[in-house]
Amino acid sequence: QVQLQESGPGLVKPSQTLSLTCTVSGASITTINYYWDWIRQPPGKGLEWLGYITNSGDTYFSPSLKRHASIFRDTSKNQFTLQLSSVTPEDTAVYFCARRAPKDEFDYWGQGTQVTVSS
């Protein structure tokens, strides 16, 4: 059974860098043809796709976040991490990590973690 678990701070101050880690069990993040995504849901809004890291470590981001986002991985821990720099209150959301299977379907999700950006 594949499981994903997000972890990180629940509260971040404006202008700081947000760092969230997704720990994966039951599957390797280096498995060919599977990508690993970050998605968020601001309060009262729909899901917003943020970016992904591929099985080989390449990354791709939503154009709206490209300047502020990075994703890196630790294959020894089977984890991948999202970093958002210079956060604002508009980055307040529930953040999810998910696995993207072939044919672009998200087949496994983490339970989500609430992040609030506030001074």
Side-chain angles (χ1 to χ4, degrees):
Q1 179 73 8
V2 179
Q3 292 184 320
L4 294 85
Q5 179 67 58
E6 304 90 348
S7 60
L11 179 65
V12 183
K13 295 184 185 299
S15 80
Q16 291 186 339
T17 295
L18 166 65
S19 183
L20 294 172
T21 294
C22 183
T23 300
V24 180
S25 59
S28 171
I29 62 173
T30 62
T31 301
I32 291 174
N33 293 332
Y34 286 87
Y35 295 176
W36 303 88
D37 290 63
W38 283 100
I39 299 145
R40 69 183 180 186
Q41 185 168 28
K45 298 184 179 180
L47 294 173
E48 177 186 9
W49 176 75
L50 302 178
Y52 63 66
I53 185 166
T54 71
N55 56 282
S56 58
D58 296 322
T59 56
Y60 189 76
F61 300 97
S62 166
S64 65
L65 284 178
K66 192 173 182 180
R67 291 188 301 119
H68 302 291
S70 61
I71 300 175
F72 56 91
R73 63 181 185 170
D74 184 336
T75 57
S76 68
K77 296 181 180 179
N78 215 34
Q79 296 175 333
F80 61 104
T81 297
L82 170 72
Q83 285 194 337
L84 290 180
S85 63
S86 304
V87 295
T88 72
E90 286 65 41
D91 293 306
T92 294
V94 178
Y95 285 75
F96 300 91
C97 57
R99 187 176 80 164
R100 179 192 296 253
K103 299 183 181 179
D104 281 343
E105 59 180 4
F106 294 115
D107 58 355
Y108 289 98
W109 291 70
Q111 63 183 19
T113 187
Q114 173 70 47
V115 175
T116 301
V117 180
S118 174
S119 56

